[in-house]
Amino acid sequence: MNRTILVCCGTGCLANGSKGVADEFQRLIDQRGTDARVKCYVKRTGCNGFCENGPIVKVMPDDIIYYKVREKDVAEILDKTVEKGETVDRLLYRDDQGRPVKHQHENPFYAPQHKTALRNIGAIDPTRVEDYIAAGGYEALKKALAMTPAEIIEQVKRSGLRGRGGAGFPTWRKWQTAAEQEATPKYVACNGDEGDPGAFMDRSVLEGDPHTVLEGLAICALAIGAEEGFLYIRDEYGLAVRNVTTAIADAERHGILGDDVLGSGRRLKLSVVRGGGAFVCGEETALIASIEGSCGEPRPRPPFPAVKGLFGQPTVLNNVETLANIPVILKDGGDAFAAVGTEGSKGTKVFALVGKVKRTGLVEIPMGATLRHLIYDIGGGIQNDRPFKAVQTGGPSGGCIPAHMLDLPVDFDTLKSHGAMMGSGGMIVMDDRSCMVEVARYYINFLAEESCGKCTPCREGLRKMLEILTDICEGRGQEGDIQLLEQLGHTLQDSCLCALGKTAPNPVLTTIQYFRDEYEAHIREHRCPAGVCVKLTAFRIDADRCRGCTACARACPTGAITGAVKQPHVIDSSKCISCGSCREACRFDAVETEGRDAV
Amino acid sequence: MQIDMDEVLEILHRYPREKRHSLAIMQDLQHHFNYIPREGMEALAEYLECPLSSLYSMATFYRALSLKPKGKHIIKLCDGTACHIRGSVNLAGGIGRLLGIGAGETSADGLFSLELVNCLGSCALAPVMVVDDTYYGKVTLEKLPEILNKYREEAAG
Ligand SMILES: Cc1cc2nc3c(=O)[nH]c(=O)nc-3n(C[C@H](O)[C@H](O)[C@H](O)COP(=O)(O)O)c2cc1C
Ligand code: FES
Ligand code: FES
């Protein structure tokens, strides 16, 4: 029997050393050469979504999956698993009960997932178009070439697909509008800017399955009658840029793209534009300005890009994940796609589940699953079994959702009605050691820096909100500050030019709504209940609980902690910088925080 | 630093003379020189036949572009949300104590520049730091000196 070894070479696993592992497999296989009983191939795949446990290695067709594989483990995997089909137990994942898990589909992180947009990732080599084709790739494009634009749009309409970039706009409607325009040329574009800090869904798709995005974009081009398209990708995503560039060149060489799309006589030229690292460039009109070669500043809509977009021509812009769903819809039909999900939100959604949760990574589940299912069943609950406090969804435009709302279904409409939004899919889980005021300050600081400055409410309003929040976090908060923040927030919602400013107050307004007591503790008692705000927090070691293990003293960056082994330790407050490293290091919960009168 | 104009011109000529390639050209200049030298900006304005001021406004708008020389090694410390709540701010403080620089600054010996950046797309490994092209995941204050010393020793030969 022949075996294939899949080595995850996404950004996360590469950071953990997967290149060395893949090279070592290749080296040993070459060395064993024809003597080996089993023929064996190494394949470098995209991100499996469970990066924290990387490098990840899968052996097929046995479907055995190993985690945290090091170069020194390679020979053993070859001897046991490849040669004899046996497992190497110590490299298996352990589930919540400590049982070893042999197959991916038994792993509690993967078992509940339903992969559509991510269907090929981790199974194919993204740099080989042959792999994509063998997995059924470009079948949908073939099918679309035999259809009229109206028939293509009809399937997308039946699917109920809504844009995954955040706003959830029905995809077919954009396509329809652009298709109806008489002006030519028309353009298609893919939004791969992924600016939300804490989200990496689109990176994973671009890196791990670039052809699916190209195929989606090509089908869109057929539907609206475009012959040129762009993929705008963050420059920080080096591997994504490389893999997409390779994919375009390969597709052209195979006659899939270029002057004669699959022999149909149609033309489609795609190219990559690297983003300049500005969050606002993810907004569609700003992105268009950036592709045109000027500053990425938004402009008022209408006219919408579908009418007047790139170079003043009709343009459809879709998010990476939106496009990754298109080939599936065309291949299996819109109705099959619509069978998954909720009434108003069809299909699946990819989430980046990160923060203080046990299992972090990329998760694709049907729309309408609850937050509890995501965080507890898939994520395994909170790290160190601490209490859950909130989950931040939707990035800087989203909100913070408290514990009593964990049973809300996640889809486009439910979260919006609670002041948050599903957004592009970032899910940042916070425990009782996350300060909600500081989180709000963090987002406003981010947005104040990223505001392009074109409209006054956004530029000045955010600056003022940041000032107030910083004061609160540093102990200078005053009665009335909360009301002022609310007022400013509503003004921004009503008067900003683009969605960056209009949604910017969400993190502040939701934290005030659900965690008002934390704001009040900062303002009235000069105390940060979570023990995060440096100027309001002093650390202390509880002598009764301290076992003298010295972990805190070793973790302290300023040498403020002293004490003999097995004796209670003490913190010298004159040296302490309140960074909290000791609290993180302590395994006995002996480090406590108390308020510090700051002013 | 003496700028080799041949290198600048080679980069410009990778692209057709159209304004829409200005960002890509500036990114290439940035990658090559670690910043965009004044000579590069002037040559680009001439090449694209556009006002220097419009290029200047772009160079100051986009975060990835810099008009000031950067250090030999660029430390990108992620302050995306996932990294933030896992303590990236403390790491910035730690780097400050070790190298005497804050975000956006370059160390006196010209060896390091520190940039606070948004999500590097490896949130599962938070907090994340990238030095040049090498990723470091789950960085702690304890691990910092070891990581940075490697580059110092390299420079010392
Ligand atoms: C400030 C701001 C940032 C945005 N960033 C992104 C982004 O990084 N990626 C994305 O796909 N959409 C982003 N969007 C949404 C886009 O404007 C647009 O709605 C989307 O790309 C359309 O594609 P879709 O219909 O497939 O979702 C952003 C919007 C705003 C207002
Ligand atoms: S990069 Fe390997 S699992 Fe994400
Ligand atoms: S938030 Fe730091 S890598 Fe994503």
Side-chain angles (χ1 to χ4, degrees), chain A residues 72-89:
Chain A
K72 62 176 173 42
D73 302 320
V74 167
E76 188 176 351
I77 295 176
L78 285 174
D79 289 341
K80 285 201 177 144
T81 312
V82 173
E83 293 278 327
K84 304 187 200 128
E86 295 167 6
T87 49
V88 182
D89 278 355

Side-chain angles (χ1 to χ4, degrees), chain A residues 197-200, chain B residues 78-84 118-124 126-128:
Chain A
F200 54 107
Chain B
C78 180
D79 193 28
T81 322
C83 292
H84 186 78
N118 298 324
C119 187
L120 290 160
S122 311
C123 325
V128 178

Side-chain angles (χ1 to χ4, degrees), chain A residues 188-231:
Chain A
V188 290
C190 165
N191 189 340
D193 200 41
E194 192 156 79
D196 285 2
F200 54 107
M201 301 76 57
D202 296 346
R203 165 181 78 76
S204 152
V205 175
L206 291 166
E207 265 177 31
D209 195 9
H211 285 284
T212 195
V213 182
L214 301 186
E215 187 174 9
L217 207 52
I219 293 168
C220 176
L222 291 179
I224 70 161
E227 297 194 331
E228 190 168 2
F230 300 90
L231 296 103

Side-chain angles (χ1 to χ4, degrees), chain A residues 7-16 18 45-56 110 200 203-204 207 362, chain B residues 124:
Chain A
V7 182
C8 183
C9 286
T11 298
C13 284
L14 286 174
N16 279 326
S18 71
T45 73
C47 173
N48 283 280
F50 208 16
C51 322
E52 195 178 9
N53 293 289
I56 294 179
Y110 290 109
F200 54 107
R203 165 181 78 76
S204 152
E207 265 177 31
L362 277 193

Side-chain angles (χ1 to χ4, degrees), chain B residues 24-78:
Chain B
I25 299 175
M26 285 197 262
Q27 283 168 328
D28 285 2
L29 289 169
Q30 174 83 36
H31 280 300
H32 187 82
F33 295 105
N34 257 346
Y35 78 113
I36 310 179
R38 181 165 185 104
E39 296 87 332
M41 293 287 281
E42 284 164 355
L44 181 58
E46 202 170 298
Y47 183 67
L48 297 178
E49 293 173 11
C50 68
L52 188 58
S53 61
S54 81
L55 296 179
Y56 181 80
S57 76
M58 287 178 71
T60 51
F61 179 86
Y62 290 107
R63 209 183 247 268
L65 306 176
S66 150
L67 294 171
K68 275 194 298 196
K70 294 251 166 116
K72 180 155 181 250
H73 300 292
I74 305 209
I75 305 172
K76 289 190 181 155
L77 180 64
C78 180

Side-chain angles (χ1 to χ4, degrees), chain A residues 450-598:
Chain A
E450 295 293 340
S451 167
C452 74
K454 188 165 167 175
C455 77
T456 320
C458 181
R459 184 183 65 234
E460 299 303 324
L462 286 173
R463 199 177 290 173
K464 189 68 203 163
M465 287 177 94
L466 176 60
E467 231 169 70
I468 300 171
L469 287 164
T470 307
D471 279 349
I472 298 177
C473 289
E474 297 187 350
R476 296 183 301 270
Q478 293 176 4
E479 288 300 327
D481 277 356
I482 298 180
Q483 290 75 2
L484 196 54
L485 283 172
E486 286 175 328
Q487 266 175 14
L488 276 166
H490 294 131
T491 308
L492 262 67
Q493 285 179 328
D494 291 339
S495 56
C496 286
L497 173 65
C498 83
L500 185 147
K502 281 190 208 294
T503 57
N506 288 355
V508 179
L509 295 177
T510 51
T511 47
I512 291 179
Q513 185 178 351
Y514 299 121
F515 301 96
R516 199 180 187 99
D517 53 332
E518 278 195 43
Y519 279 82
E520 288 171 349
H522 282 73
I523 295 172
R524 298 192 182 144
E525 302 163 38
H526 297 237
R527 183 173 66 85
C528 174
V532 170
C533 294
V534 171
K535 296 224 166 126
L536 301 183
T537 304
F539 287 84
R540 212 172 60 80
I541 295 174
D542 181 340
D544 291 337
R545 271 191 249 156
C546 176
R547 311 261 184 101
C549 74
T550 75
C552 58
R554 277 178 282 130
C556 179
T558 58
I561 304 181
T562 49
V565 181
K566 300 206 171 145
Q567 294 298 318
H569 281 45
V570 282
I571 302 178
D572 175 351
S573 60
S574 67
K575 286 194 197 156
C576 176
I577 54 169
S578 289
C579 70
S581 299
C582 49
R583 188 170 66 164
E584 290 305 310
C586 181
R587 282 174 294 124
F588 307 104
D589 226 359
V591 181
E592 297 178 333
T593 62
E594 51 192 12
R596 157 153 88 179
D597 230 14

